[in-house]
Amino acid sequence: QVQLVESGGGLVQAGGSLRLSCAASGRTFSTYHMGWFRQAPGKERELVSHIRWTGGRTYYAYYVDSVKGRFTISRDNAKNTVYLQMNSLKPEDTAVYYCAAAVGATTYDYWGQGTQVTVSS
């Protein structure tokens, strides 16, 4: 069982920045595929970014088109933590952001509780 705890959400003006953090439990964090999802009111949950382990010490990062160039995903395996640096935030980025982990599989089986990000215009 993997536990995920997000932090770093909040209220920010358009153009501002936030950094989300997600601390994970487990002894093999470096092999977890980690993703950030978001769900805005009335909308389906969508994948924002992921950083997937591809073997050894290499990872592959993906971003949905709407956040490319503004968001950066990273991980610190020594701290069992994945980050989402969000710059140039827009009101349409307002959502609950969820951290998720896929362990030994391609599907995300573990989810955090979510953290609210609100961007005011």
Side-chain angles (χ1 to χ4, degrees):
Q1 192 76 4
V2 175
Q3 295 183 331
L4 303 172
V5 179
E6 300 112 333
S7 61
L11 173 64
V12 65
Q13 289 187 332
S17 298
L18 285 173
R19 188 177 79 157
L20 305 183
S21 299
C22 173
S25 64
R27 300 169 68 177
T28 58
F29 174 78
S30 63
T31 67
Y32 297 177
H33 306 309
M34 300 298 299
W36 285 100
F37 292 75
R38 67 186 178 187
Q39 187 166 21
K43 295 187 178 181
E44 294 187 353
R45 185 177 297 184
E46 67 167 345
L47 173 65
V48 175
S49 177
H50 68 215
I51 183 164
R52 300 182 73 88
W53 180 59
T54 57
R57 296 183 179 182
T58 60
Y59 299 87
Y60 169 77
Y62 161 85
Y63 302 92
V64 70
D65 285 347
S66 60
V67 308
K68 283 181 180 177
R70 301 189 296 122
F71 290 11
T72 303
I73 192 169
S74 62
R75 62 194 298 160
D76 184 337
N77 292 334
K79 296 182 178 179
N80 276 28
T81 301
V82 64
Y83 304 97
L84 187 68
Q85 178 67 43
M86 306 186 295
N87 298 329
S88 302
L89 282 161
K90 303 176 180 180
E92 51 264 44
D93 294 317
T94 295
V96 178
Y97 283 70
Y98 297 90
C99 172
V103 181
T106 57
T107 57
Y108 290 97
D109 293 323
Y110 302 97
W111 293 83
Q113 80 285 359
T115 185
Q116 177 71 46
V117 171
T118 302
V119 184
S120 63
S121 57

